[in-house]
Amino acid sequence: MENSGYAIDRSWLTEAKESISQWSYIMLKDADDNDIDWDWVRSLDLEHGIGVASPEDYEAGAASSVHDLLKADLAIRDRLEAIIAKMSMTFMRDFDRRIKTYDLPRALAYADRRLNDQIALLRDRGIAEGLWTVEDEDRQRVTVPVLTPAKEGVAVDDIQDRTAEIVNARAERRKADRAKREAARAHREHALFEADEVRNGSVEAGPDESAPIESSSDQGSSDYLIEGQPVINDDNPAVPTVEQVNRDETAVPEARFEKSRHAAAEHVAAREAARPKDYWREVFLPGRDVDKVMGIDLETNGTEPYRAYIIDVGFEYMNMRSPRPADAPTGYQYDKDYYEGGDAYDQHRFSFGVTDEAARHGNPFIIQLTGIDIKQRVGADYPMFDEDAEAQADLLKRLTAQPFVAHMATFEHSFFMLNVKGYAEAYRNGHVTIIDTLPMSRLWDEGSIPSEEHPDGDNRLDAYAKRQGALREDDAERHLGLEDTHIMLLAMKHHLKQLQAEARGPWGPNGKAGVGGKRIVSHRRHWRR
């Protein structure tokens, strides 16, 4: 696991296990609802590697069984990642602050990345030995490598990657849980509706003894159910029979009562149907007073923060309302010469590396997407971000100083959680504010037209930046940290200016005052005696 050229102190990985007692008190089950064996977690050698293979086992023709090694490593990874997947939610819901730090999840993710590198090299060995071929396949929410036997008698069923199966099953459970919560919410609303009927009189409830005897109008009385729609008459709240109607002209006929009651029920149903579906990214929208922000974009060699490495970081500052600081340095050159300088200042680009194992495996897709060849990202010139304490501390200081902006910000947030020491704690304590330009594009950009390919409109950074005049129509998103950060902030500033002129977005009826964005609010429990 050594990157040649520099020494790294990994003692923090072992020290992180000191918080296992805190985690075990709060978190009993993993993301797949299995009991967690915390003694097993404590036994893991996070500093030196948690896989069963040694470097000699990566070589074609080694005496060891590549099938058995791969099977054992996959079992460890599935078990470990189910624990990591549950830790973020557990940490954020620890309102009593029994869990002091997020170091343990970061340490487990650190070890899992190296384990994932090992798994990739074992697959490569099987290819080199002619045992199987590997092709990536899209399976609903994730892409997984699929092994196909290259000759008769090679068993691969028990060494297939189960990530898609696991992730999709979790998503279905979350969907079922949401449906259950929605049903419970509907039940509560129905109970309130029925309680209102009881309070105001209905077939089941009979007369409302508290109704005023001499009242001549229902308006303003408790007999009004929903938005001033009268259900029954004050003088005789009970539903009358035909005989009652014949002898008492003040009674409300049953047919009229049922019509009124059905109208109220239909009103509730219509209101429910008109309720917009929850779009969870709305909480990341900016407010009308947002000004100084730091835009940031990460490039990685994968999508999962517990498997992939951060290889490129770009960030810069821009003021959305006030003038650019006069003393801010100028003259930074972007990869694209035509990029509008705008009001950006304090730009930075940092390159990071990967393990020797990840470099050996390579990643052709990342070369095609970004131009970065991770096979060249080793050695002293390319420290690994998850081992660079100084880089993490500098970034944390910046991330907590003002709101940070990203496009699909949950991606950056998830990598910060498992890579930046202190970020999770700062976020939980409300010191991090996140603004996302993705919901700005989806909700406030009329040019984001739904299509068969993009049911919610084309809200990629590339498309959003072009619609907002931050990227030429004949060009494309660069997929480099600083360049993508720049076009994102320019698009955001142009968009906010347009929205303000048209009294939309933050300046519309549902807009937010202040900075806006997502920020955790303390939910410490206050016990009553």
Side-chain angles (χ1 to χ4, degrees):
M1 296 199 307
E2 292 293 338
N3 262 30
S4 58
Y6 63 96
I8 298 296
D9 179 10
R10 299 189 179 94
S11 61
W12 72 274
L13 295 163
T14 299
E15 293 168 0
K17 292 195 288 186
E18 295 175 2
S19 65
I20 285 178
S21 60
Q22 300 166 20
W23 285 94
S24 62
Y25 184 83
I26 301 294
M27 185 171 148
L28 304 179
K29 294 183 178 292
D30 63 21
D32 299 320
D33 206 31
N34 298 315
D35 292 336
I36 299 174
D37 182 352
W38 286 104
D39 288 334
W40 175 77
V41 176
R42 190 176 283 106
S43 72
L44 297 174
D45 188 350
L46 304 181
E47 289 192 47
H48 303 98
I50 60 176
V52 297
S54 61
E56 295 77 20
D57 294 317
Y58 307 149
E59 306 301 327
S64 56
S65 168
V66 65
H67 175 281
D68 292 346
L69 293 172
L70 185 54
K71 182 178 179 179
D73 276 358
L74 287 169
I76 294 171
R77 191 183 72 176
D78 290 347
R79 188 176 182 183
L80 182 63
E81 289 183 355
I83 296 173
I84 298 173
K86 184 70 175 291
M87 288 181 129
S88 176
M89 181 178 67
T90 301
F91 187 72
M92 292 304 159
R93 293 182 178 180
D94 177 23
F95 303 128
D96 293 331
R97 300 297 191 264
R98 295 183 183 274
I99 304 172
K100 305 303 180 184
T101 78
Y102 205 70
D103 286 347
L104 182 61
R106 286 196 307 111
L108 298 181
Y110 175 101
D112 193 59
R113 291 185 199 104
R114 279 78 183 162
L115 176 63
N116 199 62
D117 297 342
Q118 181 169 297
I119 289 171
L121 291 184
L122 290 174
R123 289 198 187 102
D124 291 346
R125 174 186 158 186
I127 295 173
E129 293 179 352
L131 299 176
W132 52 66
T133 60
V134 180
E135 293 290 338
D136 288 340
E137 289 187 10
D138 293 331
R139 295 187 173 178
Q140 291 182 263
R141 298 164 180 83
V142 295
T143 301
V144 295
V146 178
L147 277 60
T148 302
K151 57 185 179 183
E152 190 175 350
V154 175
V156 297
D157 289 348
D158 59 343
I159 53 173
Q160 295 287 9
D161 193 308
R162 297 180 57 247
T163 302
E165 175 187 338
I166 293 169
V167 170
N168 292 328
R170 289 175 189 165
E172 289 303 313
R173 285 196 297 273
R174 289 195 298 271
K175 182 179 178 181
D177 289 342
R178 285 194 299 270
K180 189 181 297 184
R181 290 195 298 270
E182 183 67 15
R185 183 197 58 74
H187 177 74
R188 288 194 300 271
E189 285 195 355
H190 183 69
L192 290 173
F193 181 85
E194 290 187 333
D196 202 27
E197 279 195 322
V198 170
R199 183 171 61 253
N200 295 295
S202 69
V203 176
E204 296 82 2
D208 180 0
E209 301 297 339
S210 66
I213 298 176
E214 300 296 330
S215 65
S216 59
S217 170
D218 285 328
Q219 187 169 5
S221 77
S222 59
D223 293 330
Y224 265 61
L225 183 59
I226 297 175
E227 294 189 357
Q229 297 297 318
V231 177
I232 47 182
N233 182 279
D234 281 348
D235 300 315
N236 190 356
V239 177
T241 63
V242 175
E243 292 77 11
Q244 285 177 311
V245 171
N246 290 335
R247 70 172 182 266
D248 186 352
E249 295 180 358
T250 64
V252 180
E254 185 173 2
R256 178 181 161 193
F257 170 77
E258 287 299 326
K259 180 179 179 181
S260 179
R261 182 180 180 185
H262 290 164
E266 288 171 1
H267 176 85
V268 172
R271 184 182 61 183
E272 180 65 22
R275 175 185 295 175
K277 294 182 179 179
D278 291 336
Y279 179 48
W280 60 272
R281 291 187 191 271
E282 286 187 17
V283 295
F284 293 95
L285 290 169
R288 52 181 170 267
D289 300 316
V290 65
D291 189 16
K292 179 183 177 181
V293 297
M294 183 184 84
I296 190 164
D297 183 73
L298 304 179
E299 301 299 333
T300 64
N301 71 325
T303 58
E304 296 297 340
Y306 40 78
R307 293 186 186 178
Y309 299 91
I310 295 173
I311 57 176
D312 186 72
V313 178
F315 57 87
E316 67 179 24
Y317 295 81
M318 189 176 290
N319 297 349
M320 297 291 116
R321 299 174 61 206
S322 62
R324 178 183 183 276
D327 58 346
T330 60
Y332 195 92
Q333 294 298 312
Y334 299 96
D335 182 67
K336 303 283 188 179
D337 291 337
Y338 78 84
Y339 275 9
E340 174 191 340
D343 298 317
Y345 59 96
D346 200 9
Q347 300 98 334
H348 296 270
R349 185 203 307 277
F350 296 103
S351 298
F352 294 96
V354 298
T355 61
D356 292 333
E357 289 81 3
R360 175 175 171 176
H361 177 68
N363 194 320
F365 175 74
I366 295 300
I367 298 177
Q368 180 183 1
L369 183 68
T370 67
I372 299 174
D373 184 358
I374 64 171
K375 289 187 175 182
Q376 308 300 321
R377 290 294 181 100
V378 292
D381 292 336
Y382 295 104
M384 287 182 286
F385 185 83
D386 63 0
E387 294 183 338
D388 194 332
E390 184 177 351
Q392 294 173 38
D394 179 73
L395 186 57
L396 178 63
K397 182 178 180 180
R398 295 173 184 273
L399 291 171
T400 55
Q402 71 294 297
F404 81 80
V405 181
H407 195 78
M408 199 169 75
T410 50
F411 179 83
E412 276 74 16
H413 171 71
S414 66
F415 272 86
F416 294 153
M417 288 283 290
L418 291 175
N419 280 272
V420 179
K421 180 177 175 58
Y423 175 85
E425 295 87 339
Y427 178 69
R428 185 176 72 169
N429 292 332
H431 303 315
V432 175
T433 301
I434 311 172
I435 294 174
D436 195 340
T437 52
L438 176 60
M440 289 184 64
S441 173
R442 180 174 175 181
L443 299 175
W444 294 341
D445 187 347
E446 64 279 359
S448 177
I449 302 172
S451 64
E452 184 175 346
E453 184 179 3
H454 302 286
D456 295 314
D458 191 348
N459 301 304
R460 297 170 301 156
L461 176 58
D462 184 281
Y464 177 60
K466 287 177 179 177
R467 290 195 298 268
Q468 299 303 327
L471 185 65
R472 284 196 323 215
E473 287 293 333
D474 61 350
D475 203 357
E477 178 185 352
R478 183 61 183 87
H479 292 291
L480 285 176
L482 183 60
E483 280 69 23
D484 292 355
T485 294
H486 186 63
I487 62 172
M488 174 189 66
L489 289 183
L490 278 180
M492 178 181 174
K493 187 162 187 174
H494 294 171
H495 197 186
L496 286 174
K497 184 176 181 180
Q498 175 191 359
L499 291 169
Q500 184 174 15
E502 299 173 359
R504 297 192 298 118
W507 294 271
N510 297 320
K512 301 177 184 177
V515 171
K518 173 67 180 296
R519 181 170 178 266
I520 295 296
V521 178
S522 177
H523 290 287
R524 290 180 181 273
R525 293 175 180 171
H526 298 284
W527 298 102
R528 292 182 179 179
R529 292 185 179 273

